[in-house]
Amino acid sequence: MRSSQEEFENAVNRVKLLKKDPGNEVKLKLYALYKQATEGPCNMPKPGVFDFINKAKWDAWNALGSMPKETARQSYVDLVSSLSSSSMSSSQVKPGADRKQQEYENLVVTSEDGITKIMLNRPTKKNAINTQMYQEIILALKAASKDNSVLTVLTGNGDYYCSGNDLTDFSGITAGEIEEKVKNNLDMLRVFVNSFIDFPKPLIAVVNGPAVGIAVTILGLCDAVYASDRATFHTPFSHLGLSPEGCSSYTFPKIMGPAKAIEMLVFGKKLTAEEACARGLVTEVFPDNTFQKQVWARLKAYSEFPANSIRISKQVIRNMEKEKLYAVNAEECSVLQERLLSNECINAAVNFLSRKAKL
Ligand SMILES: CCCC/C=C/CC(=O)SCCNC(=O)CCNC(=O)[C@H](O)C(C)(C)COP(=O)(O)OP(=O)(O)OC[C@H]1O[C@@H](n2cnc3c(N)ncnc32)[C@H](O)[C@@H]1OP(=O)(O)O
C-alpha cells in the first residue's frame, strides 16, 4: 500500500516526538529518505572530506540514487512507524521485561534492547530437542536473521542448557517406517545445521547448565559461548553408537586441536566449563550465582555497537569457510544416517527408553 502525503507529513511530525534518540545511523537514513521524498535525487555539491557532518548526510542521500520520491516517502513512513512502536513499547514494558514474539511450542523467543533471545523451553525434558523443536529453531533463526536485532542469543530454560537430541523421537516407529523417518530427520538436521552456518549476525550461546550432544557440537558454529560454571559439555556419540554432527568433526579439531577433539567426540570425555574454556570451545565462564546478570550486561553493551559493522565483520569471518562447512555438514549427515540404523545405536536408544542407561 502506497502512503499518502498526509501519512508522510504525520510521520515527519512523529519523528519530533520520539522519546528515544534513534542513533546517528537511523537519523542519517531519515534525513536521506526525507530529502529524496521531497526533492528527489541528491542535488547538492559534494562537501569536502573534512566537513564530516555534511559529508555523511550527502553520502546517505546520494546512496539512494534514483529512488522514486514515492518509494522514499513510503520507506520514511515505514521507518518512523518501526521507531515509534519500539519507542512506545520500551516505555510501556517494565525495565528488563521482554517483548514476546511469535508463539512456539518448544521455544520462548523475545526481543529487547537489540537482542533476540531464543530460549529452549522443555525444562521437564532437560530441553531435549525433538523434531518439532528442530523445526522451530530453524524458523526462529530465520526470523531473527531478518529482525532489527543486533545480536541473537540461544539459551535454555531451567537447570539444563540442553540434553541433546530427543532419544524418544524414534519410539513407536515400526521397522518398516524407520528408514524413511531417519532419512527425513537427517534431511532436517542438515537444514538445521545450515541455518547456523548461514546465520548472518553474531549468534551467542548463553549456556546456563549442562549441554549434551548436538547442543555441544553446534557451539562450534556460534560466535561466542558464555557458560555458567555449573555447565558441562558432553558428546557421548560412541556410547550411543552415533557419530559427530553439527560440523564438529571440522570445527572441534580446529578449535582445540585433533587430540583434544578426539577425546571429546570419540571417547566422550565430559568437560567442565573451565575445561571447555581452556580448550577454546567456551569464550568465558561466569559464577552461576551472577551468570545471568553479568552475561546480559555484557550482551547489552555489545548490542550498542554499530549494527552493520558487527554483522559485516561476522560475515567476513564466516564467508571464508562457508563452502567447507556445507560440505562437512552434508558428509556428517550421510554418515549419521547409517549410524542411526545400526544395531549399536538402536540398542542404546532402547536402553535409554527402558531407563537402563543414562549418561
Ligand atoms: C536428527 C537426528 C540427530 C541425531 C543426533 C544426535 C546427537 C545427540 O544429541 S546425542 C545426545 C543425546 N542425549 C543423551 O544421550 C542424553 C540422555 N539423557 C540423559 O542421559 C539424562 O536424562 C540426563 C543426564 C540428561 C539428565 O539426567 P537426570 O537424572 O538429571 O534427569 P532425567 O530424569 O533423566 O530427565 C528428566 C526427563 O527428561 C527426559 N530427557 C532427558 N534427556 C532426554 C533426551 N535426550 N531425550 C529424551 N528425553 C530426555 C528424561 O527422559 C526425563 O523424562 P521423564 O521425566 O518423562 O522420565
Side-chain angles (χ1 to χ4, degrees):
M1 204 182 67
R2 294 267 148 238
S3 73
S4 64
Q5 181 61 24
E6 195 185 337
E7 278 178 298
F8 177 65
E9 282 163 16
N10 274 341
V12 173
N13 288 329
R14 265 159 53 212
V15 166
K16 296 173 197 145
L17 300 174
L18 287 177
K19 292 198 180 85
K20 207 164 125 188
D21 184 337
N24 286 340
E25 202 180 321
V26 174
K27 282 198 268 195
L28 278 174
K29 207 164 180 185
L30 285 169
Y31 165 82
L33 288 169
Y34 177 85
K35 295 294 270 183
Q36 192 88 7
T38 53
E39 296 180 35
C42 183
N43 54 16
M44 275 185 351
K46 187 173 181 174
V49 275
F50 295 111
D51 185 359
F52 299 117
I53 295 176
N54 284 321
K55 168 84 169 37
K57 287 168 130 181
W58 187 90
D59 283 342
W61 184 8
N62 192 49
L64 298 181
S66 57
M67 178 189 278
K69 279 184 173 182
E70 202 190 3
T71 311
R73 204 167 62 187
Q74 177 70 52
S75 304
Y76 184 93
V77 170
D78 291 345
L79 181 55
V80 174
S81 302
S82 71
L83 293 173
S84 315
S85 63
S86 71
S87 128
M88 196 174 330
S89 54
S90 63
S91 65
Q92 283 169 348
V93 288
K94 286 188 258 108
D98 281 340
R99 229 159 17 102
K100 217 168 173 187
Q101 295 185 331
Q102 187 183 337
E103 293 293 333
Y104 296 93
E105 189 144 320
N106 302 290
L107 305 176
V108 178
V109 181
T110 49
S111 245
E112 170 121 356
D113 290 335
I115 305 173
T116 291
K117 177 169 86 174
I118 301 173
M119 185 166 69
L120 311 183
N121 191 33
R122 288 183 83 205
T124 56
K125 299 286 177 190
K126 310 291 180 192
N127 297 323
I129 311 180
N130 59 13
T131 308
Q132 188 178 357
M133 200 199 277
Y134 279 110
Q135 273 157 353
E136 290 184 357
I137 296 171
I138 294 168
L139 287 178
L141 287 175
K142 180 121 254 108
S145 72
K146 293 193 198 131
D147 70 14
N148 288 331
S149 63
V150 180
L151 306 176
T152 300
V153 167
L154 205 54
T155 191
N157 187 15
D159 60 342
Y160 258 66
Y161 173 67
C162 173
S163 63
N165 188 65
D166 189 315
L167 294 176
T168 64
D169 234 17
F170 292 99
S171 58
I173 304 277
T174 63
E177 293 165 335
I178 186 86
E179 276 198 35
E180 196 180 349
K181 166 83 176 155
V182 166
K183 186 185 173 311
N184 289 342
N185 276 27
L186 265 297
D187 286 346
M188 181 192 67
L189 184 69
R190 201 167 45 77
V191 175
F192 173 80
V193 174
N194 277 344
S195 61
F196 283 79
I197 297 173
D198 287 334
F199 196 71
K201 312 172 185 181
L203 180 59
I204 289 131
V206 171
V207 185
N208 53 298
V212 186
I214 182 124
V216 176
T217 55
I218 216 74
L219 297 176
L221 293 172
C222 291
D223 301 297
V225 179
Y226 297 126
S228 149
D229 59 7
R230 218 174 43 76
T232 52
F233 299 82
H234 194 189
T235 46
F237 299 133
S238 304
H239 299 73
L240 296 167
L242 294 173
S243 52
E245 27 60 355
C247 289
S248 57
S249 61
Y250 173 68
T251 57
F252 277 32
K254 207 170 143 224
I255 291 169
M256 57 189 82
K260 298 287 186 193
I262 284 179
E263 206 180 16
M264 279 190 85
L265 297 174
V266 178
F267 299 127
K269 181 177 162 79
K270 190 199 279 191
L271 302 188
T272 63
E274 288 298 348
E275 287 167 339
C277 191
R279 290 186 183 195
L281 181 63
V282 164
T283 312
E284 196 170 333
V285 181
F286 297 83
D288 192 57
N289 57 354
T290 54
F291 177 60
Q292 298 290 345
K293 197 167 163 225
Q294 283 187 272
V295 166
W296 287 100
R298 171 83 57 91
L299 293 173
K300 168 111 183 37
Y302 288 172
S303 74
E304 281 159 16
F305 286 176
N308 290 336
S309 169
I310 286 199
R311 201 180 59 242
I312 287 164
S313 300
K314 184 235 157 116
Q315 287 176 15
V316 166
I317 297 168
R318 176 56 49 90
N319 287 347
M320 299 291 169
E321 52 179 6
K322 252 191 180 177
E323 294 307 319
K324 175 76 186 169
L325 290 169
Y326 293 144
V328 171
N329 183 23
E331 173 64 12
E332 286 179 347
C333 287
S334 138
V335 173
L336 190 53
Q337 186 165 336
E338 282 177 31
R339 285 280 85 219
L340 280 165
L341 294 168
S342 69
N343 283 339
E344 288 174 342
C345 175
I346 290 166
N347 289 341
V350 169
N351 273 342
F352 178 76
L353 292 173
S354 58
R355 314 304 293 158
K356 275 190 266 165
K358 255 190 203 181
L359 294 174

